[in-house]
Amino acid sequence: MELSKKLALILVLAFLVTIAGGCGGSKPAPAPAPAPAPEKPKEILIGANFELTGNVATFGVSTVNGIEMAFAEINAKGGVLGQQLKLVKGDNKSDSGESTNVATKLVTQDKVVTLLGPVTSTNVLAAVPVATQFKVPIITSSGTNPKVTVDDSGKTREWAFRTCFIDPFQGFVAANFALNTLKAKTAAIYIDKNSDYSKGLAEVFEKTFTEKGGKVVAKEGFTTDDKDFRATLTKIKATKPDVLFVPAYYEQDGLIAKQARELGYTNPILGGDGWDSDKLLQIAGAKALQEVYFVNHYSAQDTDPKVVKFVNDYKAKYNSVPDALAALGYDTAYLLADAIKRAGSAEPAKIRDALAATKGFSGVTGNVSLDEKHNPVKGAVVLSFDKDGKLVFKEKVNP
């Protein structure tokens, strides 16, 4: 009997302990750890849509050289926002149709956050609709036609920017140089009829030259594929112009200068920044380049410390003197990096807003502040050639 009582007591106590354990709120199982935050991308992808082959290939190669040198310097210092800048390159083959295709691939397949390039205005205009459609900024360092950043209605293109001066400014500079420095009273104009760049410069040159008392005695045109200009140059020579204005690219410029001199035209020949290429001397020869003058974005002979360092670094890396396209590419790369840093993000819309707000950026080709039309306010230089065909600084012009 006594044993039964003890056993009953033990069972009751065990039951109470069990109840107490159940009511005492045993600790719930720990919640699963939160999923780790997605890893921040190590690279910011930037698209390069350039003329790496074709009739203006030296322009594209020079520009990409400048961009890649700048990116290497930026990345060596830690990159932007802790990420490295990576250039994804596409060759538009100096063709407007290919420019559209390259831009589309870079944006839709490579997923770049900004497009750089192309070089020529016609090829930039072919890429702008792609940038606009997919809402990605596009920056050209050398597309000078005003329509690159402003549409036909006068509205600023939201996603398009440039870091070079525009055609009206260099056409204005060329006309004033002809009138004031060369004392020209008459001019002939010879343009590439297929080029928006060429037509844009010619229009402004003629307007400025005639409004200030000059007279245009001949206007002729050629196509991009032409090689023999002698018949038209003979016709132009007969009008006896004090200056011949040829706003084209170096392949045609060199041939025109060479053939004009062979035909006995000895007066000055003027042009725009399209004349700036190492290949020009090979095509024309030093003798034909005497009394040739062209408007450009910078001079490698500039003694500004920033320019001197850039020229020396470029020569050490590429074993050649940087032309204006290389300098503009270099500046554009740094300006983009600055915009991404100010945006605090690599999101295209935020980069666009930071680009539009650019003020007082200091570059090799001058200080850059973008206006409401996404155009920089900056100066230009006029260059010529010595007896050996090497570039010579003539004068600097500020807006």
Side-chain angles (χ1 to χ4, degrees), residues 244-317:
L244 170 60
F245 184 56
V246 185
Y249 295 122
Y250 63 88
E251 289 276 2
Q252 292 79 32
D253 294 334
L255 289 173
I256 289 170
K258 186 175 189 299
Q259 292 171 23
R261 298 314 191 201
E262 289 171 350
L263 290 169
Y265 181 77
T266 58
N267 285 349
I269 300 175
L270 303 180
D273 57 338
W275 283 74
D276 187 24
S277 171
D278 287 342
K279 200 173 178 181
L280 181 70
L281 179 59
Q282 300 171 29
I283 298 169
K287 188 175 181 181
L289 295 177
Q290 303 308 295
E291 292 296 310
V292 168
Y293 306 89
F294 68 94
V295 181
N296 210 2
H297 304 267
Y298 103 122
S299 169
Q301 289 79 39
D302 197 323
T303 56
D304 183 291
K306 187 181 294 256
V307 177
V308 172
K309 182 179 186 309
F310 165 71
V311 171
N312 289 338
D313 289 348
Y314 189 95
K315 287 166 69 175
K317 187 175 180 70

Side-chain angles (χ1 to χ4, degrees), residues 14 23 28 54 78 82 89 95 104 130 214 229 257 295 298 308 322 374-375 387:
C23 297
K89 293 183 286 188
D95 178 80
T104 302
V130 177
F229 305 93
V295 181
Y298 103 122
V308 172
H374 298 172
N375 296 322
K387 63 182 179 61

Side-chain angles (χ1 to χ4, degrees), residues 50-53 56-65 119 250 325:
F50 283 102
E51 295 82 341
L52 303 179
T53 58
V56 289
T58 69
F59 286 168
V61 171
S62 287
T63 307
V64 170
N65 283 349
V119 167
Y250 63 88
L325 277 298

Side-chain angles (χ1 to χ4, degrees), residues 126-374:
V128 166
V130 177
T132 303
Q133 178 184 352
F134 292 101
K135 296 180 169 47
V136 171
I138 180 170
I139 314 170
T140 176
S141 55
S142 53
T144 52
N145 190 291
K147 291 181 180 179
V148 165
T149 60
V150 179
D151 65 21
D152 291 336
S153 70
K155 183 180 178 182
T156 300
R157 299 185 194 273
E158 185 180 3
W159 297 91
F161 300 84
R162 82 176 99 224
T163 55
C164 55
F165 51 60
I166 58 177
D167 291 342
F169 181 59
Q170 65 172 327
F172 173 84
V173 171
N176 278 295
F177 182 80
L179 289 162
N180 301 328
T181 303
L182 300 179
K183 307 302 180 184
K185 291 181 170 51
T186 61
I189 300 173
Y190 196 20
I191 69 166
D192 181 346
K193 295 182 290 187
N194 301 129
S195 168
D196 295 306
Y197 161 83
S198 190
K199 290 183 285 188
L201 260 71
E203 180 181 351
V204 178
F205 177 89
E206 181 177 9
K207 183 174 184 293
T208 305
F209 191 76
T210 55
E211 284 181 350
K212 296 194 173 186
K215 181 180 180 181
V216 174
V217 293
K219 288 195 292 183
E220 300 290 343
F222 58 89
T223 63
T224 305
D225 296 329
D226 286 348
K227 303 295 182 186
D228 188 345
F229 305 93
R230 292 177 180 84
T232 304
L233 287 170
T234 299
K235 184 178 176 182
I236 289 173
K237 184 189 172 194
T239 66
K240 299 181 179 180
D242 294 333
V243 295
L244 170 60
F245 184 56
V246 185
Y249 295 122
Y250 63 88
E251 289 276 2
Q252 292 79 32
D253 294 334
L255 289 173
I256 289 170
K258 186 175 189 299
Q259 292 171 23
R261 298 314 191 201
E262 289 171 350
L263 290 169
Y265 181 77
T266 58
N267 285 349
I269 300 175
L270 303 180
D273 57 338
W275 283 74
D276 187 24
S277 171
D278 287 342
K279 200 173 178 181
L280 181 70
L281 179 59
Q282 300 171 29
I283 298 169
K287 188 175 181 181
L289 295 177
Q290 303 308 295
E291 292 296 310
V292 168
Y293 306 89
F294 68 94
V295 181
N296 210 2
H297 304 267
Y298 103 122
S299 169
Q301 289 79 39
D302 197 323
T303 56
D304 183 291
K306 187 181 294 256
V307 177
V308 172
K309 182 179 186 309
F310 165 71
V311 171
N312 289 338
D313 289 348
Y314 189 95
K315 287 166 69 175
K317 187 175 180 70
Y318 298 110
N319 197 32
S320 64
V321 177
D323 57 19
L325 277 298
L328 287 166
Y330 183 84
D331 278 355
T332 300
Y334 267 102
L335 185 144
L336 172 60
D338 174 69
I340 294 173
K341 183 178 179 181
R342 285 186 285 110
S345 168
E347 296 176 26
K350 292 183 179 179
I351 296 173
R352 174 204 60 195
D353 293 344
L355 285 169
T358 298
K359 300 294 179 188
F361 171 82
S362 179
V364 170
T365 61
N367 293 329
V368 175
S369 293
L370 295 184
D371 63 18
E372 69 280 0
K373 295 181 179 178
H374 298 172

Side-chain angles (χ1 to χ4, degrees), residues 65-89:
N65 283 349
I67 293 169
E68 290 186 324
M69 189 170 100
F71 276 15
E73 293 173 0
I74 294 165
N75 288 337
K77 296 176 182 177
V80 182
L81 306 179
Q83 299 164 268
Q84 299 283 287
L85 297 175
K86 181 178 179 180
L87 195 66
V88 184
K89 293 183 286 188

